[in-house]
Structure formats: structure tokens, C-alpha cells
Amino acid sequence: MNSAPEEFENLRKLLKLKRYEQPPPGYFDRLSDRIATRLEQEPESARIARHAANWGWLDALRRVFTENPISAGIFAACGVLMVVVSNSQYLDKYIAGGLAPSLAAAPGAAVSHDLADNNMHHGLALAPQPVAADVMVSSVNPVFMNAPDSLLSSLNAQTVSYNH
Amino acid sequence: MIDPASGKSSADSKPAGRETPSPEVPEVAEKDLVEGARRGDMASYDALVRRYQERIYATVYHMTSNHEDANDLTQESFIKAFQALKSFKGGSSFYTWIYRIAVNKTINFLKQRKNHASMSLNDLDFNAEHDPDLVALISDNTPRRDLGLSELAEKLNGAMQKLSEHHRLVVTLHDVQGLSHEDIAKIMDCNVGTVRSRLFYARQQLQAYLSDYLK
């Protein structure tokens, strides 16, 4: 398949002519600017999608917020609004006094009974205490507050002091 | 700008008078630019565009023989490359990768416009008149003597357009742009043997089309 160099010598000379076909002067100075301009004019949605594809959604979100602080503010305001709305529902229930009984009868209670039964087979007594209706349940006053030492006592655990 | 001045006898693998700047660029610098562009740094990408725009434009132009089409396709190739930087794994050089994008875009474009091709040729650089090879060509006692260089360029482009896209591409990359068989094989995603056979066939075809001007 290799041809002798002289076989296509005249053709090679003629093909050199193509190298002299040049675009108008200054064309290449403008070309890169045009490309940069077109990339900058890329629609915002396409740019976000591309960033997301290149860097993942979290980084795309960070970039959007960095480039556009207004959208960051709107996003934050929406977040605050959602927190307020969700908390206001709990507040309403709490004020109506129906929160504690509803929680006591909630599926979580059944789970804790199952857990206690399961643990009994391993010699662990995690007997949940019934919650009195008048006991306020909250994140700082958990349901199992009335059975504090049952786990430690069954394991014969002792508290150790590190103060010498 | 490519300086096509010299040019001695052509060895087959790497043509002598390889005026195109070597595609080998400092790897670290290119990697840095690519990494910067991936992070969205437009200055890095602009540097990559400036580095390769002339070679990409020339390839597309010689494939289409149309400046406006080459202009559009070159821009689109660089834009597409920027948008697809994530898929660039660095297994090949950015140079080969951007070439592939441009070549694929151009071949798809040529297939679509097959029935309404039109040439819009660039002017010849005035240095062409001083090229000893070209001076020798038109001073010989042949029919081409009656033609000016511009007309000869038109005939040559017409003959190039008669080749299939893949054969035209091989001639463009090797005989016009001076790339090695190995680089062309990477760009065309085929083996070197295929490049050689395509080049041989394409030259034979061109020789036949231009026989009146090559005697």
C-alpha cells in the first residue's frame, strides 16, 4: 500500500496549494471571542444543567447561589417559611392538648414494645413504662425517661470515675 | 498561521515540510488548562481555543471547501467540547479529542448537505506565488499553465469534494495538514493500516480526477 514518493509527487505539490487558502485577516482573533460570547450567552437553564452534569447537583446549586445572591435569598426565605409552617402545625396540636396521647399511640410505641420483646430473649429487660397522660412529651423529655437504669442494671454495669 | 513555505519530498509516514505546528504540546500545561476549563474557568478554555482553533478550522474548511460552513462548525465544535468536558477522561490528549469532535460534526454535516454542496473558497495567500513547487507546477508546459493559481485551487477543491468523506479526511490531515499516520488513526479511531490504505486510494482518485493538471 505504500507508494513510491515520486508516484504522487505532482499531486503533493498541487495539494500544497490548499495550505495557502487562508480566511480573511484577523479572522482567528475574532473566532475565539465569538466562541466565548456564545458560551456566555448560553441559556441559564442549560448552564445549570451542564454544571450539574459536570460537578453534581450540590455544586451546581452552590454555583447558582454564588453567581446569583438573589436566588440564594429566595431559597433561604422559602426554607424558613417551610420550617415555620411545619412547626405551626405542631404548635396547634400542642395547644389543643392532643399531642401526648397521639404520640403514645403512635406506631413508634409499638416498635418499642417489639424491641423490648426481642431484647428479652437476650436477657435484656427494656420494659417500657406506660406514659402518663399528664406527662408532657418532648425532645427533652423522652418517652422512656421513667425507665432510666433498666438496661445498665441488667448488664451489671458500673459507673467509672476518671477523677483521681 | 501555518507557514506552508518549505516542503521537500514526502516520506510516507511523516511528510517532510510538516509545517503544521506539532500537535505535541506541553502535557502539564494542557492538563492545567483542561482542568481549569472543567471548573468553569473561561480564561483557561479561551487559551485552549486559541491554541487549536487554526488547525480545527483548517480541517473543517478543507473538508467542506466552504468558509461559512467551516466557521459555524468550528464554533460549534468548541462549544460542544466545552459542554462535554465531563466526558473527557484524559485518556487521549485534548488535541485528539477536540479533533474527533470537529471531524464527527463535519462528517455528519456533509452527509446532510450531500445534495446541495456549494464551495466558498478562501483567497490564496500572496506567498503562494513564490512557492517554488507551485511556481514549477504552473510554469511547466501543461494545460495548468493557462490557469492562474486561484483557478487551479478551484479545480483541486472540486476534485477533493468528489472523494468520500473519509478519504477526503485522510488527505486533508496527512497531505495538507501534515499529521502523522498515527495521529490520524487516533483521530479517526481506526488502525494505521486503514489510514495508509485510505490515503493510497484517495491519492489515486485525486490523481485521476486531476490528471489534466498533473501531467
Side-chain angles (χ1 to χ4, degrees):
Chain A
M1 214 51 78
N2 284 329
S3 55
E6 62 272 15
E7 186 179 347
F8 297 112
E9 186 60 20
N10 276 349
L11 177 64
R12 189 191 63 77
K13 285 179 183 172
L14 187 58
L15 280 167
K16 272 186 81 180
L17 193 55
K18 287 213 50 78
R19 300 178 193 170
Y20 288 101
E21 291 174 30
Q22 296 293 340
Y27 169 73
F28 289 115
D29 295 332
R30 295 188 296 272
L31 180 61
S32 57
D33 292 340
R34 280 195 206 119
I35 292 168
T37 306
R38 281 183 66 175
L39 281 172
E40 281 163 13
Q41 286 171 349
E42 192 181 11
E44 188 69 11
S45 55
R47 196 142 43 121
I48 291 168
R50 181 167 48 74
H51 283 162
N54 280 346
W55 294 95
W57 280 106
L58 272 178
D59 196 59
L61 211 59
R62 184 185 63 76
R63 279 164 182 269
V64 169
F65 290 163
T66 309
E67 290 169 13
N68 191 355
I70 295 172
S71 63
I74 292 170
F75 187 80
C78 288
V80 169
L81 198 67
M82 282 173 67
V83 169
V84 168
V85 167
S86 61
N87 279 346
S88 69
Q89 290 172 347
Y90 275 103
L91 275 174
D92 289 347
K93 281 184 183 175
Y94 174 67
I95 290 165
L99 184 59
S102 68
L103 265 184
V111 169
S112 39
H113 280 290
D114 291 345
L115 182 67
D117 291 345
N118 202 24
N119 287 336
M120 287 289 272
H121 298 298
H122 304 285
L124 296 173
L126 252 181
Q129 302 293 313
V131 180
D134 58 344
V135 175
M136 190 176 75
V137 179
S138 73
S139 61
V140 293
N141 187 13
V143 174
F144 293 117
M145 203 175 162
N146 293 339
D149 296 329
S150 54
L151 179 62
L152 287 177
S153 57
S154 68
L155 290 173
N156 249 348
Q158 294 179 342
T159 54
V160 177
S161 170
Y162 291 97
N163 297 325
H164 296 289
Chain B
M1 196 61 59
I2 298 164
D3 169 27
S6 67
K8 303 203 164 67
S9 68
S10 72
D12 228 326
S13 182
K14 290 201 177 193
R18 182 175 166 160
E19 293 83 6
T20 317
S22 166
E24 304 301 330
V25 289
E27 199 180 343
V28 178
E30 184 182 278
K31 269 187 180 174
D32 287 347
L33 291 174
V34 171
E35 204 46 53
R38 288 182 72 159
R39 286 196 305 268
D41 177 19
M42 294 305 291
S44 296
Y45 195 66
D46 190 55
L48 284 170
V49 171
R50 287 179 189 277
R51 183 173 290 186
Y52 297 118
Q53 61 179 358
E54 291 179 33
R55 278 176 270 179
I56 297 298
Y57 169 84
T59 304
V60 180
Y61 170 76
H62 294 311
M63 289 290 288
T64 57
S65 293
N66 187 304
H67 168 71
E68 287 75 28
D69 293 341
N71 178 39
D72 289 344
L73 287 165
T74 304
Q75 290 186 36
E76 284 168 20
S77 299
F78 278 109
I79 288 167
K80 186 177 179 188
F82 185 74
Q83 290 167 343
L85 270 173
K86 188 206 171 198
S87 66
F88 176 62
K89 305 289 182 199
S92 61
S93 65
F94 180 80
Y95 163 81
T96 308
W97 188 67
I98 184 71
Y99 245 112
R100 269 191 207 159
I101 291 175
V103 161
N104 288 337
K105 255 192 177 303
T106 305
I107 289 177
N108 286 340
F109 170 82
L110 289 171
K111 281 178 180 164
Q112 284 171 0
R113 74 149 208 196
K114 205 150 204 166
N115 295 325
H116 43 272
S118 64
M119 293 201 296
S120 167
L121 300 181
N122 288 328
D123 291 336
L124 288 174
D125 188 283
F126 70 94
N127 285 319
E129 294 169 16
H130 308 296
D131 188 303
D133 284 340
L134 295 174
V135 170
L137 261 185
I138 54 174
S139 61
D140 286 350
N141 191 17
T142 61
R144 61 180 175 261
R145 194 178 177 183
D146 301 327
L147 296 174
L149 282 178
S150 298
E151 288 88 345
L152 207 52
E154 214 171 307
K155 299 283 180 196
L156 177 58
N157 277 283
M160 289 273 287
Q161 290 302 312
K162 288 182 188 170
L163 297 176
S164 76
E165 289 90 5
H166 286 99
H167 289 106
R168 200 185 315 157
L169 181 61
V170 174
V171 169
T172 296
L173 294 178
H174 189 273
D175 288 346
V176 181
Q177 294 204 277
L179 268 64
S180 68
H181 291 141
E182 289 74 19
D183 282 343
I184 297 170
K186 281 182 202 161
I187 291 164
M188 295 184 76
D189 202 17
C190 62
N191 60 47
V192 175
T194 306
V195 173
R196 285 179 195 276
S197 64
R198 281 180 180 167
L199 186 59
F200 182 78
Y201 180 79
R203 283 170 171 174
Q204 273 191 326
Q205 291 285 101
L206 271 183
Q207 189 125 288
Y209 295 143
L210 295 163
S211 56
D212 285 348
Y213 308 99
L214 294 171
K215 284 172 187 165

Short mmCIF file of all heavy atoms in Angstrom, two decimals, chain A residues 47-87:
data_model
loop_
_atom_site.label_atom_id
_atom_site.label_comp_id
_atom_site.label_asym_id
_atom_site.label_seq_id
_atom_site.Cartn_x
_atom_site.Cartn_y
_atom_site.Cartn_z
N ARG A 47 -26.91 26.12 31.29
CA ARG A 47 -25.66 26.25 32.04
C ARG A 47 -25.75 25.48 33.37
O ARG A 47 -24.83 24.78 33.77
CB ARG A 47 -25.38 27.73 32.31
CG ARG A 47 -23.96 27.98 32.72
CD ARG A 47 -23.37 29.24 32.16
NE ARG A 47 -24.22 30.41 32.18
CZ ARG A 47 -23.91 31.54 32.82
NH1 ARG A 47 -22.82 31.61 33.52
NH2 ARG A 47 -24.68 32.58 32.74
N ILE A 48 -26.92 25.61 34.02
CA ILE A 48 -27.09 24.90 35.30
C ILE A 48 -27.04 23.39 35.07
O ILE A 48 -26.39 22.65 35.81
CB ILE A 48 -28.43 25.31 35.96
CG1 ILE A 48 -28.34 26.76 36.42
CG2 ILE A 48 -28.75 24.40 37.14
CD1 ILE A 48 -29.67 27.36 36.81
N ALA A 49 -27.73 22.96 34.00
CA ALA A 49 -27.74 21.51 33.71
C ALA A 49 -26.33 21.01 33.41
O ALA A 49 -25.95 19.92 33.84
CB ALA A 49 -28.66 21.24 32.51
N ARG A 50 -25.55 21.83 32.69
CA ARG A 50 -24.20 21.41 32.37
C ARG A 50 -23.32 21.35 33.62
O ARG A 50 -22.58 20.41 33.83
CB ARG A 50 -23.59 22.38 31.34
CG ARG A 50 -22.19 22.00 30.92
CD ARG A 50 -21.78 22.78 29.69
NE ARG A 50 -22.03 24.20 29.80
CZ ARG A 50 -21.31 25.02 30.57
NH1 ARG A 50 -20.31 24.57 31.26
NH2 ARG A 50 -21.61 26.31 30.62
N HIS A 51 -23.48 22.37 34.47
CA HIS A 51 -22.72 22.35 35.73
C HIS A 51 -23.10 21.13 36.56
O HIS A 51 -22.25 20.48 37.16
CB HIS A 51 -23.00 23.62 36.53
CG HIS A 51 -22.25 24.81 36.01
ND1 HIS A 51 -22.60 26.09 36.31
CD2 HIS A 51 -21.19 24.89 35.19
CE1 HIS A 51 -21.78 26.94 35.71
NE2 HIS A 51 -20.93 26.22 35.01
N ALA A 52 -24.40 20.84 36.56
CA ALA A 52 -24.86 19.69 37.34
C ALA A 52 -24.26 18.41 36.80
O ALA A 52 -23.84 17.53 37.57
CB ALA A 52 -26.39 19.61 37.29
N ALA A 53 -24.20 18.33 35.48
CA ALA A 53 -23.62 17.12 34.88
C ALA A 53 -22.13 17.02 35.18
O ALA A 53 -21.60 15.95 35.44
CB ALA A 53 -23.85 17.12 33.37
N ASN A 54 -21.47 18.17 35.16
CA ASN A 54 -20.02 18.16 35.38
C ASN A 54 -19.64 18.03 36.84
O ASN A 54 -18.64 17.43 37.18
CB ASN A 54 -19.40 19.44 34.81
CG ASN A 54 -19.22 19.37 33.31
OD1 ASN A 54 -19.31 18.30 32.72
ND2 ASN A 54 -18.99 20.48 32.68
N TRP A 55 -20.42 18.62 37.72
CA TRP A 55 -19.99 18.74 39.11
C TRP A 55 -20.99 18.22 40.12
O TRP A 55 -20.76 18.33 41.32
CB TRP A 55 -19.70 20.21 39.41
CG TRP A 55 -18.54 20.68 38.65
CD1 TRP A 55 -18.55 21.34 37.45
CD2 TRP A 55 -17.16 20.49 38.97
NE1 TRP A 55 -17.27 21.56 37.02
CE2 TRP A 55 -16.40 21.06 37.94
CE3 TRP A 55 -16.50 19.89 40.05
CZ2 TRP A 55 -15.01 21.04 37.95
CZ3 TRP A 55 -15.13 19.88 40.06
CH2 TRP A 55 -14.40 20.45 39.02
N GLY A 56 -22.13 17.72 39.70
CA GLY A 56 -23.11 17.23 40.66
C GLY A 56 -24.04 18.37 41.09
O GLY A 56 -23.68 19.54 41.02
N TRP A 57 -25.20 17.97 41.57
CA TRP A 57 -26.23 18.96 41.86
C TRP A 57 -25.86 19.90 43.00
O TRP A 57 -26.17 21.09 42.97
CB TRP A 57 -27.55 18.25 42.19
CG TRP A 57 -28.23 17.84 40.94
CD1 TRP A 57 -28.33 16.58 40.43
CD2 TRP A 57 -28.86 18.70 39.99
NE1 TRP A 57 -28.99 16.60 39.23
CE2 TRP A 57 -29.34 17.89 38.94
CE3 TRP A 57 -29.08 20.08 39.94
CZ2 TRP A 57 -30.01 18.42 37.84
CZ3 TRP A 57 -29.76 20.59 38.84
CH2 TRP A 57 -30.21 19.76 37.81
N LEU A 58 -25.16 19.38 43.99
CA LEU A 58 -24.82 20.24 45.12
C LEU A 58 -23.94 21.39 44.69
O LEU A 58 -24.18 22.55 45.05
CB LEU A 58 -24.11 19.42 46.20
CG LEU A 58 -25.03 18.73 47.19
CD1 LEU A 58 -24.22 17.92 48.18
CD2 LEU A 58 -25.88 19.77 47.93
N ASP A 59 -22.94 21.04 43.88
CA ASP A 59 -22.02 22.09 43.45
C ASP A 59 -22.72 23.04 42.49
O ASP A 59 -22.45 24.24 42.48
CB ASP A 59 -20.79 21.46 42.78
CG ASP A 59 -19.66 22.46 42.67
OD1 ASP A 59 -19.23 22.96 43.73
OD2 ASP A 59 -19.25 22.77 41.54
N ALA A 60 -23.62 22.48 41.66
CA ALA A 60 -24.37 23.35 40.74
C ALA A 60 -25.19 24.36 41.53
O ALA A 60 -25.24 25.54 41.19
CB ALA A 60 -25.27 22.50 39.85
N LEU A 61 -25.79 23.88 42.63
CA LEU A 61 -26.59 24.76 43.48
C LEU A 61 -25.71 25.84 44.10
O LEU A 61 -26.07 27.02 44.13
CB LEU A 61 -27.24 23.91 44.59
CG LEU A 61 -28.58 24.37 45.11
CD1 LEU A 61 -29.61 24.44 44.00
CD2 LEU A 61 -29.07 23.44 46.21
N ARG A 62 -24.53 25.41 44.55
CA ARG A 62 -23.60 26.37 45.15
C ARG A 62 -23.20 27.43 44.12
O ARG A 62 -23.16 28.62 44.43
CB ARG A 62 -22.35 25.64 45.64
CG ARG A 62 -21.36 26.54 46.37
CD ARG A 62 -20.10 25.79 46.71
NE ARG A 62 -19.37 25.33 45.53
CZ ARG A 62 -18.64 26.11 44.74
NH1 ARG A 62 -18.54 27.40 44.98
NH2 ARG A 62 -18.01 25.62 43.69
N ARG A 63 -22.96 26.97 42.89
CA ARG A 63 -22.56 27.91 41.84
C ARG A 63 -23.68 28.91 41.54
O ARG A 63 -23.45 30.09 41.37
CB ARG A 63 -22.21 27.15 40.55
CG ARG A 63 -20.83 26.58 40.56
CD ARG A 63 -20.66 25.54 39.48
NE ARG A 63 -19.32 24.98 39.55
CZ ARG A 63 -18.28 25.45 38.89
NH1 ARG A 63 -18.42 26.45 38.08
NH2 ARG A 63 -17.09 24.91 39.03
N VAL A 64 -24.91 28.38 41.48
CA VAL A 64 -26.06 29.26 41.20
C VAL A 64 -26.17 30.31 42.29
O VAL A 64 -26.36 31.50 42.02
CB VAL A 64 -27.35 28.43 41.10
CG1 VAL A 64 -28.57 29.34 41.07
CG2 VAL A 64 -27.32 27.55 39.87
N PHE A 65 -26.01 29.88 43.54
CA PHE A 65 -26.15 30.82 44.66
C PHE A 65 -25.00 31.82 44.68
O PHE A 65 -25.19 32.98 45.02
CB PHE A 65 -26.20 30.05 45.98
CG PHE A 65 -27.49 29.29 46.15
CD1 PHE A 65 -27.59 28.27 47.08
CD2 PHE A 65 -28.61 29.59 45.38
CE1 PHE A 65 -28.76 27.56 47.24
CE2 PHE A 65 -29.78 28.88 45.52
CZ PHE A 65 -29.87 27.87 46.45
N THR A 66 -23.81 31.36 44.31
CA THR A 66 -22.66 32.26 44.31
C THR A 66 -22.82 33.31 43.23
O THR A 66 -22.54 34.49 43.43
CB THR A 66 -21.37 31.46 44.06
OG1 THR A 66 -21.34 30.36 44.97
CG2 THR A 66 -20.14 32.31 44.29
N GLU A 67 -23.28 32.84 42.06
CA GLU A 67 -23.40 33.76 40.93
C GLU A 67 -24.61 34.68 41.06
O GLU A 67 -24.64 35.76 40.51
CB GLU A 67 -23.48 32.97 39.61
CG GLU A 67 -22.17 32.30 39.25
CD GLU A 67 -22.31 31.32 38.09
OE1 GLU A 67 -23.36 31.32 37.41
OE2 GLU A 67 -21.37 30.53 37.88
N ASN A 68 -25.63 34.21 41.78
CA ASN A 68 -26.87 34.96 41.86
C ASN A 68 -27.36 34.99 43.31
O ASN A 68 -28.15 34.14 43.73
CB ASN A 68 -27.92 34.31 40.94
CG ASN A 68 -29.14 35.18 40.76
OD1 ASN A 68 -29.27 36.22 41.40
ND2 ASN A 68 -30.04 34.75 39.92
N PRO A 69 -26.92 35.98 44.09
CA PRO A 69 -27.28 36.03 45.51
C PRO A 69 -28.79 36.16 45.74
O PRO A 69 -29.29 35.73 46.78
CB PRO A 69 -26.56 37.27 46.03
CG PRO A 69 -25.51 37.58 45.02
CD PRO A 69 -26.02 37.07 43.72
N ILE A 70 -29.50 36.75 44.79
CA ILE A 70 -30.95 36.93 44.96
C ILE A 70 -31.63 35.56 45.05
O ILE A 70 -32.48 35.33 45.90
CB ILE A 70 -31.54 37.76 43.80
CG1 ILE A 70 -30.96 39.18 43.86
CG2 ILE A 70 -33.06 37.82 43.88
CD1 ILE A 70 -31.30 40.04 42.67
N SER A 71 -31.20 34.65 44.17
CA SER A 71 -31.80 33.31 44.21
C SER A 71 -31.46 32.61 45.52
O SER A 71 -32.27 31.85 46.05
CB SER A 71 -31.33 32.47 43.01
OG SER A 71 -29.94 32.28 43.09
N ALA A 72 -30.27 32.90 46.06
CA ALA A 72 -29.90 32.32 47.36
C ALA A 72 -30.84 32.83 48.44
O ALA A 72 -31.31 32.07 49.30
CB ALA A 72 -28.46 32.67 47.69
N GLY A 73 -31.14 34.14 48.39
CA GLY A 73 -32.05 34.75 49.38
C GLY A 73 -33.45 34.16 49.29
O GLY A 73 -34.06 33.83 50.31
N ILE A 74 -33.93 34.00 48.05
CA ILE A 74 -35.27 33.43 47.85
C ILE A 74 -35.32 32.01 48.39
O ILE A 74 -36.27 31.61 49.06
CB ILE A 74 -35.65 33.48 46.35
CG1 ILE A 74 -35.83 34.94 45.92
CG2 ILE A 74 -36.92 32.68 46.09
CD1 ILE A 74 -35.97 35.12 44.42
N PHE A 75 -34.26 31.25 48.09
CA PHE A 75 -34.20 29.86 48.54
C PHE A 75 -34.21 29.79 50.07
O PHE A 75 -34.93 28.99 50.67
CB PHE A 75 -32.92 29.20 48.00
CG PHE A 75 -32.85 27.73 48.25
CD1 PHE A 75 -33.53 26.84 47.45
CD2 PHE A 75 -32.08 27.23 49.30
CE1 PHE A 75 -33.47 25.48 47.69
CE2 PHE A 75 -32.01 25.87 49.55
CZ PHE A 75 -32.70 24.99 48.74
N ALA A 76 -33.43 30.68 50.70
CA ALA A 76 -33.38 30.70 52.16
C ALA A 76 -34.73 31.09 52.75
O ALA A 76 -35.20 30.49 53.73
CB ALA A 76 -32.29 31.67 52.61
N ALA A 77 -35.38 32.08 52.13
CA ALA A 77 -36.69 32.52 52.63
C ALA A 77 -37.71 31.39 52.55
O ALA A 77 -38.51 31.19 53.47
CB ALA A 77 -37.16 33.73 51.82
N CYS A 78 -37.66 30.64 51.43
CA CYS A 78 -38.57 29.50 51.27
C CYS A 78 -38.32 28.47 52.36
O CYS A 78 -39.26 27.89 52.93
CB CYS A 78 -38.39 28.85 49.89
SG CYS A 78 -39.05 29.85 48.57
N GLY A 79 -37.05 28.24 52.66
CA GLY A 79 -36.69 27.26 53.70
C GLY A 79 -37.24 27.68 55.05
O GLY A 79 -37.85 26.88 55.78
N VAL A 80 -37.07 28.96 55.38
CA VAL A 80 -37.57 29.48 56.67
C VAL A 80 -39.08 29.35 56.73
O VAL A 80 -39.66 28.92 57.74
CB VAL A 80 -37.12 30.95 56.85
CG1 VAL A 80 -37.84 31.59 58.02
CG2 VAL A 80 -35.62 31.02 57.04
N LEU A 81 -39.74 29.68 55.62
CA LEU A 81 -41.20 29.61 55.55
C LEU A 81 -41.69 28.18 55.79
O LEU A 81 -42.64 27.94 56.54
CB LEU A 81 -41.67 30.10 54.18
CG LEU A 81 -43.14 30.49 54.09
CD1 LEU A 81 -43.40 31.72 54.95
CD2 LEU A 81 -43.51 30.78 52.64
N MET A 82 -40.99 27.22 55.19
CA MET A 82 -41.38 25.81 55.35
C MET A 82 -41.24 25.37 56.80
O MET A 82 -42.09 24.68 57.35
CB MET A 82 -40.53 24.91 54.45
CG MET A 82 -40.98 24.93 53.01
SD MET A 82 -39.85 24.03 51.94
CE MET A 82 -40.10 22.37 52.53
N VAL A 83 -40.17 25.81 57.46
CA VAL A 83 -39.95 25.45 58.86
C VAL A 83 -41.05 26.04 59.73
O VAL A 83 -41.62 25.36 60.60
CB VAL A 83 -38.55 25.94 59.32
CG1 VAL A 83 -38.40 25.81 60.83
CG2 VAL A 83 -37.46 25.14 58.63
N VAL A 84 -41.38 27.31 59.46
CA VAL A 84 -42.42 27.98 60.26
C VAL A 84 -43.76 27.29 60.09
O VAL A 84 -44.46 27.00 61.07
CB VAL A 84 -42.52 29.48 59.85
CG1 VAL A 84 -43.76 30.12 60.44
CG2 VAL A 84 -41.26 30.22 60.29
N VAL A 85 -44.10 26.97 58.85
CA VAL A 85 -45.39 26.34 58.58
C VAL A 85 -45.48 24.97 59.25
O VAL A 85 -46.46 24.64 59.91
CB VAL A 85 -45.62 26.21 57.05
CG1 VAL A 85 -46.79 25.30 56.74
CG2 VAL A 85 -45.85 27.58 56.45
N SER A 86 -44.42 24.17 59.13
CA SER A 86 -44.47 22.83 59.72
C SER A 86 -44.52 22.90 61.24
O SER A 86 -45.22 22.12 61.89
CB SER A 86 -43.27 22.00 59.25
OG SER A 86 -42.09 22.64 59.68
N ASN A 87 -43.81 23.85 61.82
CA ASN A 87 -43.83 23.98 63.28
C ASN A 87 -45.16 24.51 63.78
O ASN A 87 -45.59 24.16 64.88
CB ASN A 87 -42.70 24.90 63.74
CG ASN A 87 -41.39 24.14 63.81
OD1 ASN A 87 -41.40 22.91 63.76
ND2 ASN A 87 -40.29 24.85 63.90
#
